[in-house]
Structure formats: C-alpha cells, structure tokens
Amino acid sequence: DWSYDYKVSLYFAVRNVLYDKFSLKNEDNDGVLWAFNYSYFRNDNTKNDFKVQFYRPEYYSNPNLNAQNGLFTLVIDYDQECDERPLNEIIISELEHNEKIVNNKTVYDIKGLEKFSIPENEKIFYKFIIPRDIKADILEQLYLEGYSEEQLFPGYKGVTDYIKNKAKLDEIKNLIKDI
C-alpha cells in the first residue's frame, strides 16, 4: 500500500506518536518512510508476468482511496504458497537474479518487463528514518497542512478521530516541552 503523496505516507509513519504505548525512550519507535521508485516498473500490468503487480484503483468510488491517493502492490507467485518477505526484499531478490552487465551498465531482464536499467544515482527503494523525538512536531505540521484523520478518512469517524487526536497531540506536545 503506497501513496503518490508523500505527506500521506508521512502521516502513517508518524501517527503512532498518539498511541498509549508510544515512548520517546523506546528506540523501536523511530519511524520509517519508504519511497518506491515506481517509474521503473510502470507499464501495462495485464502483460506483466513479473511477480510484483501494481494496481491503481478507481478513486472516485471510495472517498478514503481518493483522499489517500494510493497505489497497491501485490506479490503473485503461483509456485509458492506465501512469500512473507518484505516487498523490498522480494523485488531486490528478483532484480539480482535477473541482472546483466551490458556496456558497463547493469541491465535487468525480467519476464513481463521491458529491459530497463537504473542509473547509478537512482534506487528502487529509498528509506528515510524518522527520529521518534520529532514525530509529534511532524504530525502537528501535517495537521496544519490538512493531513489529518479528517481528510484521510472522510466522514464522521474521521472528524471525531481528528478532534480526539488533535487534543491528545496538544497534550503530548506540552509534556515534551516540560521535559
């Protein structure tokens, strides 16, 4: 589940600051934001035999999908029951098994994808670590810019969740200020 809007993804990466179990002392509470360089895989998925498939749903039929601007990835491997590895490991493994060097450049030849190469300064995945101690500040800024439960989950529940969470965020910010 990806979003074309990085601020939507950022919201999901930092919102756990609102959870009761969240602690600034716990190193596991650092956030991670993954960016997927989808442009290298964009093609007609009906002809794509690569086991990672992409699906962009019709946004107009679902207000949440419309607000979150999503792209879904599905891993299809009919030879195995279930591949539980993270998506980045699956794609990197698939690429490593299908790479060739042509004219001193790495070229990937994967069934269902046109041959493509990745420039040296590009990656398939980008990983950003979000320190736990700035999550509340980021969430506050996202709220100011309209990236909240109210926008991302349209309807009464989204509005009530935003009101509750905004009050909780204000409390958290005051506690952090006092530390």
Side-chain angles (χ1 to χ4, degrees), residues 1-31:
D1 184 2
W2 305 89
S3 176
Y4 288 100
D5 185 338
Y6 79 92
K7 290 182 180 179
V8 170
S9 299
L10 191 56
Y11 163 84
F12 286 105
V14 301
R15 76 178 181 164
N16 73 328
V17 74
L18 299 170
Y19 300 170
D20 290 334
K21 295 177 184 177
F22 183 85
S23 167
L24 287 173
K25 295 175 185 174
N26 185 349
E27 290 180 13
D28 291 337
N29 281 326
D30 285 345

Side-chain angles (χ1 to χ4, degrees), residues 37-42 95 98-110 113-124 126:
N37 199 343
Y38 169 65
S39 64
Y40 288 106
F41 294 94
R42 197 176 343 175
L95 291 173
N98 295 288
E99 71 181 21
K100 297 175 178 143
I101 306 297
V102 177
N103 297 329
N104 293 328
K105 198 171 193 182
T106 304
V107 175
Y108 302 93
D109 187 8
I110 299 173
L113 291 175
E114 296 177 18
K115 287 185 181 181
F116 66 92
S117 62
I118 300 171
E120 291 294 322
N121 61 340
E122 292 284 342
K123 296 179 180 180
I124 297 296
Y126 296 86

Side-chain angles (χ1 to χ4, degrees), residues 102-164:
V102 177
N103 297 329
N104 293 328
K105 198 171 193 182
T106 304
V107 175
Y108 302 93
D109 187 8
I110 299 173
K111 183 180 177 187
L113 291 175
E114 296 177 18
K115 287 185 181 181
F116 66 92
S117 62
I118 300 171
E120 291 294 322
N121 61 340
E122 292 284 342
K123 296 179 180 180
I124 297 296
F125 291 97
Y126 296 86
K127 181 179 181 180
F128 303 92
I129 304 296
I130 303 160
R132 61 194 169 279
D133 58 332
I134 65 169
K135 282 183 164 183
D137 292 330
I138 291 172
L139 188 58
E140 181 178 51
Q141 186 61 44
L142 289 170
Y143 277 3
L144 290 172
E145 294 181 30
Y147 290 86
S148 68
E149 298 79 7
E150 186 175 25
Q151 178 201 358
L152 299 174
F153 305 101
Y156 293 118
K157 182 164 177 16
V159 172
T160 57
D161 285 350
Y162 167 70
I163 292 168
K164 289 180 209 172

Side-chain angles (χ1 to χ4, degrees), residues 45-59:
N45 284 332
T46 61
K47 298 175 186 167
N48 186 354
D49 291 328
F50 186 44
K51 67 181 180 178
V52 177
Q53 303 286 312
F54 307 96
Y55 176 67
R56 186 173 183 177
E58 296 294 331
Y59 295 150

